[in-house]
Amino acid sequence: MEGDRLEPSVTIKNIERELICPACKELFTHPLILPCQHSICHKCVKEILFTLEDSFTDGGSESSNQSSPRIRIHSPSMDRIDRISRSASQRRSFGWRGRKRNSLTPRTTMFPCPGCRHDIDLGERGISGLFRNLTLETIVERYRQAARAATAIMCDFCKPPAQESTKSCMDCSASYCNECFKVYHPWGTVKAQHEYVGPTTNFRPKILMCPEHEMERVNMYCEICRRPVCHLCKLGGSHANHRVTTMSTAYKTLKEKLSKDIEYLISKESQVKSQISQLGLLMKETECNGERAKEEASQNFEKLFDVLQEKRSVALRAIEASKNLRLEKLQTQIEEYQGLLENNGLVGYAQEVLKETDQSCFVQTAKQLHVRIQKATESLKSFRPAAETSFQDFVVDVAKQEEVLGDLSFYSSGLGVPEINEEKSKMYNKAVISWECPGKADSADIYVLEYRKLNKDEESVTWQEIEVCSKSKVISDLDNNSSYAFRVRGYKGSICSPWSREVILHTPPAPVFSFLFDDKCGYNSEHLLLNPRRSSVESRAGFPLLLGAERIQVGCYTTLDYIIGDTGIAKGKHFWAFHVEAHSYLVKVGVASSAKIQEWLHNPRDVTSPRYEQDSGHDSGSEDTCFESSQPFTLVTLGMRSFFIPKAPAAPKDSASRILPMPSCIGVCLDYDKGKVGFYDADHMKCLYERQVDCSGIMYPAFALMGGSGIHLEEAIAANYLEYQDDI
């Protein structure tokens, strides 16, 4: 059979893990398929079941289980065996009697699967109702052959010395060399039709028989029980009411599913390798953090040792000083009492004074001496040592400290999970990511910021990692018109916080175009006010309008004040962003060709002209008629905290449907080569409106203001952007 031959394309050594029995931890021997679809050696099933029945008959004693010579199980499911033993003991109390140990087949129906660690019901037939996993047997045999390639399988029919076999007959269950195979399988006979494979010692049956009806071949597959059955099982057996299918259909279906799953796994080989690399990095990080934790623990204990050593030195010095002081006092007292002895000290001195005959000299000396003698006499009457011998005030009470040290254990440092601040984080020519930590949580020593590009084609892209000592970071070299996911975690020594919630930010649809407001071409200094850096402009009415208002009785004829960028665009795709003051009354933004700008600047139009439509900036009497035609300019109207989408032929008549809330930051994207301009909510990089534009000449960013309005260009993010923001 071709399927049983060793295929060189499969590396048998790499699948050894799948060929190990979960019970005995050895290569499978006659594996059986359990109802949970896990496989286990036939001998292991019997050993486990016999162990259970021993526990039934012996009352579940531990000694009988440990002394059984059959037990070779290293499975972690012994608690389930104990549980089954207890349940079996309960059944025995209701009249069930265990089988004797010398029975050939155990009858226990509950079986603790070592693979999934669940209790499996084997049914009434027990082991007899289990199928042999013949496919697994064949694969194990292939592995054995590969493992013992140096040990040849000898011919069973050669006269000594036997020759090395070249074939094994599955019908004869024997191995042959070439000559013996020809002799025992002559051409033209029935034996010539026997099935032969490469040399093997595993001779499995050719036909899979039904375990419930031993004389019947399995020819159907039960979709409910997920196992092969015979026609008798379906007609009147345990599968009578189950949904079954033909064996060929089940073979085809399962083979297709397995093939697709294998193809999928093979197609994801790069992803698997990437995840293996990631796990390898995690192992290194774990090892590094473990060593760092050991070092920190050692340092903490050293600190405790230093504190104890210092306290010990202080205590010993205090005790020594007290001891010396007391000894000094006692020694002085001893010397005083020695002076009270005859011919010694005070008494001897007094005896000599008594010998004085001159009365005046005697009185002069005896008065002071008498006082000393009286004190000595009183001390004799009330003797008390000059110092205490007890050091009860110097006992070190360590009971509380012992209790605290006894409870000394590891603790959670309370390192909080950082949170990315989406309001402070932004995308422009570069990305600025800022984060914060919970108020009461310990601050991390260092942060790790990770980001990856979200690609629809690739399910998983490797995270790129940056170490940051602050709580913000500027990231460069991000792809345009892309989405990126960001996350951050804190580190403090060997401790790390969980990852923050992932935040997704979008890069601009094109490279950022840098320019400033032009203060020369058409700039009206009476109505417009530029800041010194030319990055902000504000409109103001001025005195000319107030003076002119004296002559105005009806209506208001006021012109728009235009201002453009100081740099034009002649090719490529570009994006720029700006902020419009919330109090602005009317602002127009967009792009215009140099020729159109000259026309606006030299022929200003009043805003109340019936031929001037503010929605798009088109100088046309019929907005709807010429909307589809390409114009050398496009402007959209902003004001009163609203964004007005220009009219379109297919747009609804209701003007309210064309009014959107004005974004805090507005972007413009000009694709010069394709002749398209789009207007974006720059905070979320969402396109609000897009249309064609005639890019026949040099195109400039164009702005128009009226009334109290203000525009501020978005500043490009530089490497020192964060320092600059802090200064502000």
Side-chain angles (χ1 to χ4, degrees), residues 538-541 581-587 640 705-710:
E538 295 181 2
S539 64
R540 56 184 179 180
E581 291 286 353
H583 64 265
S584 298
Y585 174 67
L586 191 151
V587 173
M640 301 179 67
L705 300 88
M706 188 183 75
S709 305

Side-chain angles (χ1 to χ4, degrees), residues 2-240:
E2 294 298 328
D4 290 339
R5 291 190 175 91
L6 186 61
E7 295 291 342
S9 61
V10 179
T11 306
I12 296 296
K13 292 183 179 180
N14 295 339
I15 64 173
E16 179 178 359
R17 182 180 178 182
E18 304 296 328
L19 309 181
I20 300 298
C21 173
C24 63
K25 306 301 181 184
E26 298 176 359
L27 289 176
F28 281 108
T29 304
H30 304 301
L32 300 178
I33 302 178
L34 299 174
C36 59
Q37 302 303 308
H38 291 104
S39 295
I40 185 172
C41 296
H42 181 268
K43 58 182 178 60
C44 293
V45 177
K46 297 185 69 173
E47 286 177 355
I48 293 175
L49 292 178
F50 276 131
T51 302
L52 292 177
E53 293 195 358
D54 279 347
S55 66
F56 297 158
T57 55
D58 297 340
S61 65
E62 250 180 65
S63 59
S64 64
N65 285 344
Q66 293 176 352
S67 61
S68 174
R70 287 183 170 268
I71 297 179
R72 297 168 50 244
I73 302 169
H74 308 284
S75 170
S77 57
M78 293 306 294
D79 58 333
R80 288 175 172 76
I81 294 179
D82 295 339
R83 186 169 65 254
I84 295 174
S85 301
R86 289 193 297 269
S87 63
S89 300
Q90 294 174 359
R91 290 199 302 269
R92 187 173 64 251
S93 65
F94 287 101
W96 186 85
R97 304 181 68 86
R99 286 174 55 84
K100 294 183 179 180
R101 182 66 182 84
N102 59 2
S103 302
L104 297 178
T105 304
R107 289 188 178 178
T108 306
T109 60
M110 296 301 296
F111 180 80
C113 175
C116 61
R117 303 182 183 181
H118 287 87
D119 298 335
I120 306 301
D121 189 358
L122 301 181
E124 296 180 357
R125 294 179 56 84
I127 298 178
S128 302
L130 300 178
F131 281 105
R132 282 178 64 183
N133 194 337
L134 301 179
T135 303
L136 181 57
E137 279 191 43
T138 303
I139 297 174
V140 171
E141 180 58 27
R142 291 176 184 171
Y143 178 83
R144 294 183 191 274
Q145 291 182 19
R148 60 170 183 259
T151 305
I153 298 176
M154 309 308 294
C155 177
D156 295 330
F157 295 90
C158 282
K159 295 180 180 179
Q163 300 294 320
E164 183 178 344
S165 64
T166 58
K167 299 179 181 65
S168 293
C169 179
M170 301 303 293
D171 295 272
C172 301
S173 299
S175 298
Y176 301 86
C177 64
N178 284 332
E179 295 300 326
C180 292
F181 187 81
K182 293 177 182 178
V183 172
Y184 290 94
H185 297 78
W187 186 260
T189 63
V190 176
K191 285 191 174 183
Q193 306 299 322
H194 283 189
E195 177 186 355
Y196 64 91
V197 296
T200 182
T201 58
N202 179 42
F203 300 101
R204 73 179 194 182
K206 292 183 62 178
I207 301 175
L208 191 63
M209 307 302 291
C210 177
E212 296 186 13
H213 309 92
E214 298 179 356
M215 301 303 295
E216 297 294 331
R217 178 180 179 179
V218 294
N219 54 5
M220 289 181 286
Y221 183 79
C222 179
E223 296 181 354
I224 305 298
C225 302
R226 295 186 299 175
R227 61 179 293 175
V229 296
C230 69
H231 68 283
L232 293 180
C233 293
K234 175 60 179 174
L235 290 177
S238 57
H239 305 272

Side-chain angles (χ1 to χ4, degrees), residues 52 73 81 106 108 114 124 158 203 239 300 382 421 524 559 561 564 573 576 581 591 593 635 645 650 676 681 696 708:
L52 292 177
I73 302 169
I81 294 179
T108 306
E124 296 180 357
C158 282
F203 300 101
H239 305 272
N300 290 332
S382 58
N421 190 324
N524 188 342
T559 60
D561 295 304
I564 63 173
K573 190 176 182 180
W576 60 93
E581 291 286 353
V591 295
S593 65
L635 297 175
I645 298 177
K676 281 187 177 182
D681 175 357
S696 56

Side-chain angles (χ1 to χ4, degrees), residues 402-615:
E402 285 182 355
E403 183 178 354
V404 172
L405 290 175
D407 295 336
L408 185 65
S409 61
F410 300 108
Y411 77 106
S412 175
S413 68
L415 198 60
V417 182
E419 299 176 359
I420 296 179
N421 190 324
E422 297 187 51
E423 294 182 358
K424 294 183 179 180
S425 302
K426 58 179 290 188
M427 285 277 204
Y428 199 43
N429 61 318
K430 297 179 182 179
V432 177
I433 308 300
S434 299
W435 56 89
E436 300 172 349
C437 292
K440 296 183 179 180
D442 291 343
S443 179
D445 298 331
I446 194 172
Y447 295 92
V448 173
L449 175 64
E450 287 191 348
Y451 65 96
R452 66 174 178 179
K453 182 179 179 182
L454 300 180
N455 194 338
K456 295 181 180 180
D457 299 332
E458 300 180 14
E459 294 183 3
S460 178
V461 179
T462 304
W463 290 90
Q464 299 186 51
E465 181 179 296
I466 303 175
E467 288 190 0
V468 187
C469 295
S470 60
K471 294 182 181 180
S472 54
K473 180 65 178 177
V474 175
I475 303 176
S476 307
D477 303 326
L478 299 180
D479 296 336
N480 293 316
N481 198 23
S482 301
S483 298
Y484 284 84
F486 297 87
R487 65 181 184 182
V488 66
R489 76 192 311 178
Y491 283 84
K492 189 173 184 179
S494 62
I495 306 167
C496 63
S497 70
W499 286 107
S500 67
R501 178 181 61 87
E502 291 186 18
V503 172
I504 298 176
L505 299 178
H506 306 276
T507 56
V512 171
F513 179 64
S514 298
F515 65 91
L516 298 173
F517 288 116
D518 194 336
D519 59 352
K520 296 180 177 59
C521 181
Y523 172 63
N524 188 342
S525 59
E526 293 183 355
H527 293 174
L528 299 177
L529 177 62
L530 275 174
N531 69 339
R533 298 176 60 196
R534 293 191 290 133
S535 61
S536 298
V537 62
E538 295 181 2
S539 64
R540 56 184 179 180
F543 285 102
L545 179 60
L546 295 177
L547 294 174
E550 294 180 353
R551 300 187 296 271
I552 298 175
Q553 301 297 327
V554 179
C556 180
Y557 292 83
T558 307
T559 60
L560 285 165
D561 295 304
Y562 288 91
I563 189 168
I564 63 173
D566 61 355
T567 307
I569 299 172
K571 63 178 180 179
K573 190 176 182 180
H574 305 274
F575 178 85
W576 60 93
F578 49 88
H579 301 268
V580 176
E581 291 286 353
H583 64 265
S584 298
Y585 174 67
L586 191 151
V587 173
K588 283 180 170 290
V589 297
V591 295
S593 65
S594 55
K596 194 65 181 178
I597 291 171
Q598 292 297 328
E599 178 184 343
W600 287 341
L601 297 177
H602 291 87
N603 301 299
R605 298 177 182 272
D606 61 86
V607 296
T608 59
S609 169
R611 292 176 53 80
Y612 192 76
E613 173 58 54
Q614 293 293 337
D615 286 330

Side-chain angles (χ1 to χ4, degrees), residues 282-298 410 493-495:
L282 291 177
M283 288 182 63
K284 292 181 180 178
E285 182 179 354
T286 302
E287 184 176 357
C288 180
N289 287 340
E291 293 299 323
R292 190 181 301 172
K294 289 169 59 178
E295 183 179 352
E296 290 178 356
S298 178
F410 300 108
S494 62
I495 306 167

